[in-house]
Amino acid sequence: MTKDKVFYQFPTNFLWGSSTSGPQSEGIEPGDGKGQNNWDYWYSIEPERFHNKIGPSQTSTFYKHYEKDIDLLVETGHTVFRTSIQWSRLIPTGTGEINQEAVSFYRSVFSLVRAKGIQLFVNLYHFDLPYCLQEKGGWENKEIVQAYEAYARTCFELFDDLVDRWITFNEPIVPVECGYLGNYHYPCKVDAKAAVAVAYHTQLASSLAVKACHEVNPHKKIAIVLNLTPAYPRSEQAEDIKAARIAELFQTKSFLDPSVLGEYPDELVELIDAYGLMPEVSDEELAIIKENRVDFLGVNYYQPLRVQAPTNSWKEGEPLTPEHFFAPYDMPGKKMNPHRGWEIYEKGIYDIAINIKENYYNIEWFVTENGMGVEGESAFKDNGLIQDDYRIEFIEDHLIELHRAIQEGANCKGYMLWTFIDCWSWLNAYKNRYGLVELDLDTQERIVKKSGKWFKKLSDAN
Ligand code: BG6
């Protein structure tokens, strides 16, 4: 704890840990039977889009070193751990035959985590789609909903005895924005109608997974993980406020409302309809969404979204993108993480907590990602140790705001950092380091950072 801070006690049984994902940690090993996913395929055709041309097969080798890594979870004080199953590892072609190597791998990993007394949260989808399904139209094609449901049910049947809590999707808005509006993830489209269909099919798939989870085990809890980044308007002017409201409709309420309240906000539906973007929707599907709400929420929070009224209005014939509804606002004087270029705004976590408390019936939730990415982190190495005081301060300052919200009645039950060991991160590969543990890319050696030692004390003292 830095010197001017006081001691904050979190509620009994509050969980401390971190999150990772299968595609960002496991890697590919000869004979592992993993099928190709959208990332493997994209890297095979456009490696230059990935930082330093490091692709998805070169992740932190968890497939090979999971025993050592699980020991590191213990060493860094974990009482909870979140990872994901790779669909393309378990069912290499997306539907049909199950890869038995994958079943043994996940059962060994999950058993070991639990044997160490660590609670296990398992996510089913972290941006990774079996390429065979991408070829058939991916999330644009409604048939994928059934394929995902079957995959989810298979996971529940195979692993339910070893998993404490399930998660349907991580940040489902990201593939929508990056893959169908921003040309930043495969399939790199800019097509608002496709984006809306992808979002709707993902929500339907999530609701069907909730249903399947409860059918397999009525007592098991399942969530969706959302990046509930609040949208703050530049000013109190009506147009800025409207921009912030639309940003929240698109980026948070599009999944938050159907997942927690069981229905889409009217204003979002009207907006989608007004621009001719409505996907095919049936009453039966809407009933599935209504009747299968999540049991709890995962919240990822890194930075706020600051917006202002858009500068360009949309003209017929132009691609319709979010910038026509809200423009980013670069607030002067904002506190920055200069090593990642992201704003640091600790109060965002408090605002999220109060929003959940007041507008989403104070559903139980966990911070499932929060963390500080640092480019060139080896510059902070001294005496063989990454001296990441900036990360400790970042976590402490967010926890103070979280603690304040809990004191005011927020129903948050745990904090998971992104992430326990430096990991591969999509197009950014290993550019931004987030771990409590340093990964040497050449030797695969793992070295606990100063923050890793501190996190153990944090967890022990609660
Ligand atoms: C989160 C994602 O939003 O951001 C993670 O869920 C990702 O998968 C993390 O790794 C950090 O992103 P970046 O681009 O800073 O490495």
Side-chain angles (χ1 to χ4, degrees):
M1 204 178 321
T2 48
K3 55 182 177 318
D4 54 340
K5 286 179 183 159
V6 296
F7 188 84
Y8 295 84
Q9 189 72 66
F10 277 74
T12 314
N13 299 329
F14 193 82
L15 296 176
W16 298 100
S18 71
S19 289
T20 188
S21 75
Q24 293 178 264
S25 62
E26 291 169 8
I28 296 174
E29 288 297 319
D32 66 4
K34 184 185 163 313
Q36 197 177 42
N37 68 24
N38 48 345
W39 293 94
D40 303 318
Y41 173 76
W42 191 20
Y43 181 74
S44 76
I45 57 166
E46 282 190 291
E48 64 285 351
R49 296 237 9 205
F50 295 73
H51 182 70
N52 287 343
K53 292 195 187 168
I54 298 182
S57 63
Q58 289 164 274
T59 63
S60 50
T61 57
F62 184 75
Y63 193 83
K64 203 158 143 189
H65 294 120
Y66 70 87
E67 290 179 353
K68 165 85 192 127
D69 284 352
I70 293 169
D71 284 344
L72 286 169
L73 295 181
V74 176
E75 203 178 318
T76 50
H78 283 63
T79 53
V80 64
F81 177 56
R82 168 171 80 109
T83 187
S84 74
I85 292 174
Q86 292 200 72
W87 187 348
S88 60
R89 181 178 298 289
L90 189 67
I91 308 177
T93 51
T95 53
E97 207 177 322
I98 294 172
N99 170 17
Q100 293 307 326
E101 295 292 323
V103 177
S104 318
F105 167 67
Y106 287 122
R107 286 202 69 84
S108 307
V109 169
F110 298 169
S111 308
L112 193 54
V113 170
R114 299 257 306 217
K116 302 281 181 186
I118 298 171
Q119 283 205 34
L120 179 67
F121 287 28
V122 176
N123 171 29
L124 299 175
Y125 194 91
H126 201 120
F127 312 163
D128 55 318
L129 181 65
Y131 185 64
C132 290
L133 296 178
Q134 183 70 58
E135 271 184 315
K136 292 182 188 151
W139 287 99
E140 278 181 76
N141 179 350
K142 204 183 246 181
E143 282 174 20
I144 198 171
V145 172
Q146 253 184 322
Y148 173 88
E149 185 195 4
Y151 156 65
R153 193 178 288 277
T154 303
C155 292
F156 304 143
E157 284 166 355
L158 286 170
F159 308 116
D160 194 65
D161 58 322
L162 298 174
V163 172
D164 290 290
R165 295 189 186 224
W166 289 102
I167 291 162
T168 61
F169 286 85
N170 177 78
E171 299 186 356
I173 196 69
V174 169
V176 174
E177 279 188 295
C178 296
Y180 294 87
L181 293 167
N183 183 14
Y184 193 65
H185 283 185
Y186 196 77
C188 305
K189 290 192 178 178
V190 181
D191 180 343
K193 198 163 168 62
V196 173
V198 166
Y200 178 62
H201 297 157
T202 308
Q203 177 60 52
L204 190 55
S206 177
S207 302
L208 283 165
V210 171
K211 184 168 185 274
C213 173
H214 292 149
E215 281 166 5
V216 173
N217 180 351
H219 305 293
K220 195 51 68 77
K221 288 190 177 178
I222 183 161
I224 190 165
V225 165
L226 302 175
N227 40 332
L228 296 186
T229 305
Y232 299 98
R234 169 183 56 179
S235 75
E236 292 303 307
Q237 298 283 325
E239 287 306 303
D240 283 341
I241 290 179
K242 182 178 169 199
R245 203 178 61 244
I246 295 182
E248 285 207 347
L249 276 179
F250 284 163
Q251 306 214 319
T252 58
K253 291 179 180 230
S254 53
F255 285 99
L256 180 61
D257 284 28
S259 294
V260 179
L261 305 177
E263 51 193 31
Y264 285 97
D266 291 341
E267 195 181 354
L268 178 63
V269 176
E270 283 156 21
L271 205 59
I272 297 290
D273 200 27
Y275 284 88
L277 302 175
M278 193 60 95
E280 246 181 61
V281 174
S282 73
D283 288 346
E284 193 198 335
E285 290 162 3
L286 293 179
I288 289 168
I289 293 173
K290 198 170 195 81
E291 285 156 20
N292 296 285
R293 293 178 289 153
V294 292
D295 303 306
F296 70 105
L297 261 182
V299 174
N300 294 355
Y301 175 67
Y302 290 89
Q303 58 167 344
L305 177 67
R306 299 205 185 268
V307 299
Q308 56 186 332
T311 36
N312 302 318
S313 55
W314 178 66
K315 290 176 210 69
E316 196 84 44
E318 279 180 5
L320 185 63
T321 57
E323 294 79 62
H324 292 105
F325 299 96
F326 54 92
Y329 171 54
D330 187 7
M331 187 177 79
K334 63 189 178 190
K335 180 174 168 187
M336 289 295 290
N337 163 8
H339 316 292
R340 173 67 181 83
W342 278 356
E343 180 179 349
I344 299 179
Y345 185 63
E346 302 86 352
K347 185 174 171 284
I349 214 161
Y350 172 85
D351 292 343
I352 290 172
I354 300 305
N355 182 30
I356 294 174
K357 182 179 160 216
E358 288 176 355
N359 302 312
Y360 295 90
Y361 60 85
N362 209 13
I363 187 173
E364 182 187 37
W365 63 283
F366 294 80
V367 175
T368 37
E369 284 182 35
N370 175 235
M372 188 174 176
V374 173
E375 187 174 356
E377 196 169 42
S378 53
F380 295 95
K381 200 161 186 170
D382 191 19
N383 277 327
L385 190 74
I386 300 276
Q387 306 284 346
D388 51 349
D389 295 281
Y390 43 80
R391 180 165 291 112
I392 296 172
E393 192 178 323
F394 178 99
I395 301 170
E396 278 180 349
D397 291 346
H398 282 83
L399 287 177
I400 290 170
E401 287 297 321
L402 183 61
H403 187 271
R404 179 159 76 101
I406 293 172
Q407 294 300 105
E408 292 176 25
N411 199 10
C412 177
K413 298 291 179 61
Y415 176 88
M416 284 166 244
L417 183 78
W418 186 267
T419 177
F420 87 103
I421 185 166
D422 295 336
C423 72
W424 180 86
S425 185
W426 321 112
L427 296 186
N428 287 331
Y430 284 99
K431 185 163 139 203
N432 309 308
R433 300 300 186 106
Y434 282 87
L436 295 172
V437 177
E438 179 195 1
L439 177 72
D440 183 317
L441 286 192
D442 298 324
T443 61
Q444 293 296 311
E445 192 188 354
R446 281 102 158 112
I447 310 162
V448 178
K449 299 180 191 175
K450 184 172 180 183
S451 61
K453 296 173 194 288
W454 169 84
F455 202 82
K456 167 89 172 105
K457 290 191 203 144
L458 168 77
S459 168
D460 287 349
N462 194 26

